[in-house]
């Protein structure tokens, strides 16, 4: 593991390890004052309605915080998170650890010198507000600390963008097209159709018909096709509509580079994010177009380098007035 990745692992796991250390330290300090059975669950009024032995408490506390810390560390390094998403994720880990850590400590102290049937006062509801406040403060601290830690070295990290051109003679016309293999789209269509028919027959067609219509619209993009020509970049399905077209007039430059569907676009399908949008069917190579508005539009497709190169050639021609 590189030093950068080690730093990310340490930062992501730190709040959970601190919460575990504090909880175990305080447990050791008050162990002789605890009843054999701890009240660990409380109803909406704060009264105890669930109990756990001391040994079970330790077996629950230790694995839960360690597992969460390991999960946060793994995603921090391998999740491909960058920029704002990375700060929110690290801050979220600090918030979760603070919230759980506070409640675990609160449960211990309301049981100190308490009877077997649970503390008379239960768990005062102000502890929930205090736990939320601790989570907010810890989350802000985690987001701040994440700025000082280097981003992880991800083997899937996009390489340098390619901005090649395709040589065309004066007056020569060219176009490029490629299909997109989206294995999940037919599955989604079948699931939506089944859900729509089932909902219509078992409950109401008022619910079933919209699902069926949505399945039919999704079905048009089971085998989407990407086209680059003098009109720009077009992503279409089996039918003429709906389609997505980005004209040359809206483009600055086109790149060919890998994209991470989850980290950069939050999932698959037609995605709209604060700084980018695109038709994303998988992680991998894509045509990424920088727009005049400052945003990006991407479409994942094989042989993206050829499509991007032709777009750049067409852009050069347009700017030259040819």
């Amino acid at each position: 593991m590189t030093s950068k990745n080690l730093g990310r692992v340490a930062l992501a796991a730190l709040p959970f390890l601190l919460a575990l250390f504090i909880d175990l330290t305080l447990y050791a300090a008050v162990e002789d004052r605890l009843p054999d059975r701890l009240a660990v669950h409380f109803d909406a009024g704060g009264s105890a309605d669930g109990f756990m032995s001391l040994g079970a408490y330790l077996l629950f506390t230790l694995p839960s915080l360690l597992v969460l810390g390991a999960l946060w560390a793994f995603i921090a390094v391998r999740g491909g998170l960058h920029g704002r998403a990375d700060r929110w994720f690290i801050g979220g880990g600090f918030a979760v650890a603070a919230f759980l850590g506070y409640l675990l400590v609160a449960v211990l102290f309301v049981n100190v010198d308490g009877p077997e049937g649970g503390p008379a006062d239960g768990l005062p509801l102000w502890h929930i507000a205090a736990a939320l406040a601790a989570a907010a403060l810890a989350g802000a601290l985690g987001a701040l600390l994440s700025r000082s830690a280097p981003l992880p070295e991800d083997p899937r990290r996009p390489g340098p963008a390619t901005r090649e051109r395709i040589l065309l003679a004066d007056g020569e016309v060219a176009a490029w097209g490629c299909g997109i293999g989206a294995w999940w789209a037919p599955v989604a269509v079948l699931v939506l159709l089944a859900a729509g028919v089932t909902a219509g027959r078992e409950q109401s067609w008022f619910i079933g018909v919209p699902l069926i219509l949505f399945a039919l619209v999704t079905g048009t993009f089971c085998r989407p096709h990407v086209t680059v020509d003098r009109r720009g970049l077009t992503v279409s399905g089996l039918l003429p509509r709906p389609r997505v077209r980005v004209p040359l007039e809206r483009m600055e430059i086109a790149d060919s580079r890998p994209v991470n569907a989850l980290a950069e676009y939050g999932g698959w399908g037609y995605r709209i994010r604060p700084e980018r949008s695109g038709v994303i069917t998988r992680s991998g190579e894509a045509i990424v177009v920088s727009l005049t508005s400052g945003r990006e539009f991407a479409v994942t497709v094989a042989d993206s380098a050829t499509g991007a190169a032709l777009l750049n050639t067409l852009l050069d021609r347009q700017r030259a007035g040819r």
Side-chain angles (χ1 to χ4, degrees):
M1 180 178 292
T2 66
S3 59
K4 286 186 178 181
N5 286 347
L6 185 60
R8 301 306 296 179
V9 167
L11 183 61
L14 177 63
F16 298 96
L17 295 177
L18 282 176
L20 177 62
F21 174 76
I22 293 171
D23 184 63
L24 292 178
T25 301
L26 294 177
Y27 174 86
V30 299
E31 181 181 7
D32 57 346
R33 299 171 58 191
L34 295 173
D36 292 335
R37 294 173 68 240
L38 297 178
V40 296
H41 192 273
F42 304 86
D43 61 22
S47 300
D49 60 1
F51 301 87
M52 181 182 293
S53 68
L54 293 178
Y57 173 83
L58 288 177
L59 289 175
F60 167 76
T61 303
L62 187 64
S64 62
L65 290 173
L66 287 180
V67 169
L68 283 173
L71 177 63
W72 239 264
F74 177 81
I75 297 177
V77 174
R78 296 296 185 182
L81 301 175
H82 299 282
R84 185 180 301 175
D86 176 76
R87 292 195 295 273
W88 276 101
F89 180 75
I90 296 296
F94 273 71
V96 169
F99 184 80
L100 292 178
Y102 180 94
L103 289 181
L104 288 170
V105 170
V107 165
L108 277 181
F109 277 88
V110 298
N111 280 279
V112 170
D113 298 328
E116 291 293 334
D121 297 333
L123 182 69
L125 293 182
W126 64 264
H127 280 295
I128 304 298
L132 290 173
L137 291 174
L141 176 62
L144 183 63
L145 291 176
S146 70
R147 294 175 177 269
S148 63
L151 289 174
E153 293 180 356
D154 191 340
R156 298 167 299 176
R157 185 179 179 181
T162 58
R163 296 178 177 177
E164 302 294 335
R165 267 68 170 171
I166 292 178
L167 295 178
L168 296 178
D170 290 343
E172 186 177 2
V173 178
W176 173 89
C178 185
I180 305 174
W183 65 266
W184 53 265
V187 176
V189 170
L190 293 176
V191 171
L192 286 171
L193 281 175
V197 172
T198 301
R201 296 178 64 178
E202 300 294 334
Q203 299 182 17
S204 169
W205 287 106
F206 183 77
I207 300 175
V209 169
L211 288 174
I212 294 174
L213 292 177
F214 185 56
L216 295 177
V217 173
T218 304
T220 66
F221 281 92
C222 279
R223 296 292 299 176
H225 192 81
V226 182
T227 303
V228 172
D229 55 23
R230 59 183 178 80
R231 294 170 295 185
L233 175 67
T234 304
V235 184
S236 59
L238 298 176
L239 300 177
R241 295 287 191 280
R243 69 184 179 191
V244 181
R245 173 171 292 166
V246 183
L248 292 177
E249 291 77 13
R250 292 178 54 200
M251 299 182 187
E252 289 285 353
I253 197 76
D255 297 330
S256 171
R257 64 173 174 83
V259 299
N260 186 307
L262 190 59
E264 295 183 61
Y265 293 89
W268 301 264
Y270 182 70
R271 311 300 299 175
I272 300 177
R273 306 291 286 176
E275 299 176 354
R276 58 178 64 92
S277 62
V279 179
I280 309 298
T281 58
R282 54 178 171 77
S283 293
E285 65 173 303
I287 298 174
V288 182
V289 179
S290 299
L291 305 178
T292 55
S293 63
R295 293 172 56 84
E296 287 185 347
F297 178 83
V299 55
T300 50
V301 62
D303 192 27
S304 60
T306 301
L310 180 57
L311 273 177
N312 287 327
T313 298
L314 296 174
L315 284 168
D316 291 344
R317 276 191 167 186
Q318 181 190 61
R319 289 162 184 157
R322 292 184 291 170

